[in-house]
């Protein structure tokens, strides 16, 4: 019997200590004793943060939209630069007959810029989709509250009509 009472006392003491420690914790990093591995993902943003992220990505996409850059030229006046230009021209002639038809001879396609464009466009489209989903969720909540209000108004109207029929007409005087 003594063992049960000491066991119960120990359990209640541990419960109070645990609740005190829970109340003292304000951030998850205190529990982990480590840094958090990642920031909140785009899908965890609220509506305003999502809009800001979408416009930030859009601005970067607008800025980097042209993936064609000027061809690097070799400095003139040196003998080796002339040879390099001829070798480059020969290489382009052999490897890219179709590319020259599409892209101007002085321009070249910049794959690094296209890669950046692709990396920025995925989060942009994701933020647009998530923004539309949040708008849809808000619209559903509004429609639900509107239907509740309509039902309440109908009930009040029917109640007023029922009360109006039940009351006898007043005698004028």
């Amino acid at each position: 019997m003594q063992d049960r009472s000491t066991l119960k006392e120990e359990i209640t003491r541990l419960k109070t200590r645990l609740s005190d420690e829970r109340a003292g914790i304000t951030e998850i990093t205190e529990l982990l004793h480590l840094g958090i591995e990642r920031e909140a993902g785009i899908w965890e943003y609220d509506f305003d943060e999502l809009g800001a992220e979408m416009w930030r990505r859009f601005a970067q996409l607008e800025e980097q939209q042209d993936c064609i850059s000027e061809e690097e030229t070799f400095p003139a006046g040196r003998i080796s630069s002339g040879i390099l230009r001829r070798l480059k021209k020969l290489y382009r002639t052999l490897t890219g007959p179709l590319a020259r038809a599409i892209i101007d001879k002085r321009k070249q396609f910049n794959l690094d810029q296209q890669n950046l464009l692709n990396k920025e466009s995925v989060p942009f489209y994701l933020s647009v989709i998530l923004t539309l989903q949040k708008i849809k969720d808000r619209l559903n909540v509004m429609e639900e509250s509107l239907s509740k209000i309509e039902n309440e108004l109908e009930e009040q109207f029917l109640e007023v009509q029922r009360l109006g029929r039940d009351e006898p007409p007043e005698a004028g005087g």
Side-chain angles (χ1 to χ4, degrees):
M1 202 63 165
Q2 181 73 17
D3 292 334
R4 279 190 170 179
S5 63
T6 56
L7 187 60
K8 285 184 181 181
E9 289 174 7
E10 186 66 24
I11 289 173
T12 55
R13 187 183 67 77
L14 288 174
K15 282 184 180 180
T16 56
R17 185 175 167 201
L18 181 64
S19 65
D20 291 341
E21 286 186 21
R22 278 186 185 166
I25 294 173
T26 57
E27 292 186 18
I28 195 166
T29 54
E30 293 177 20
L31 287 175
L32 297 176
H33 301 293
L34 300 171
I36 296 179
E37 293 177 16
R38 65 167 181 86
E39 296 179 1
I42 195 170
W43 53 90
E44 297 167 335
Y45 288 172
D46 67 352
F47 193 76
D48 296 329
E49 290 173 330
L50 198 57
E53 179 71 12
M54 180 178 62
W55 287 112
R56 185 182 69 78
R57 299 287 181 157
F58 179 74
Q60 283 184 332
L61 287 172
E62 281 288 310
E63 194 176 288
Q64 303 291 331
Q65 71 181 346
D66 190 15
C67 294
I68 296 174
S69 60
E70 287 288 327
E71 182 179 320
E72 294 179 16
T73 57
F74 298 106
R78 294 187 184 162
I79 298 172
S80 61
S81 65
I83 294 170
L84 288 175
R85 263 185 269 152
R86 285 189 185 113
L87 287 174
K88 186 174 181 181
K89 187 175 180 182
L90 177 66
Y91 174 75
R92 285 220 173 183
T93 304
L94 294 174
T95 59
L98 293 176
R100 282 198 322 264
I102 297 170
I103 300 175
D104 185 23
K105 288 182 181 179
R106 297 287 300 163
K107 306 278 183 178
Q108 62 185 6
F109 192 72
N110 190 340
L111 289 176
D112 293 331
Q113 208 165 354
Q114 179 64 43
N115 190 25
L116 176 68
L117 191 68
N118 292 342
K119 284 181 181 178
E120 290 296 319
S121 65
V122 170
F124 171 72
Y125 290 125
L126 179 62
S127 64
V128 169
I129 290 169
L130 290 173
T131 302
L132 291 174
Q133 182 64 42
K134 288 186 185 273
I135 289 172
K136 180 183 157 200
D137 292 343
R138 283 183 174 184
L139 182 62
N140 288 340
V141 168
M142 292 169 99
E143 286 176 348
E144 206 173 291
S145 64
L146 183 64
S147 66
K148 285 180 184 177
I149 291 171
E150 285 177 346
N151 290 339
E152 289 175 5
L153 286 175
E154 280 183 27
E155 289 174 5
Q156 289 176 358
F157 180 71
L158 293 174
E159 184 71 24
V160 167
Q161 279 186 337
R162 188 177 55 83
L163 288 175
R165 278 188 257 143
D166 292 346
E167 292 180 7
E170 292 183 17

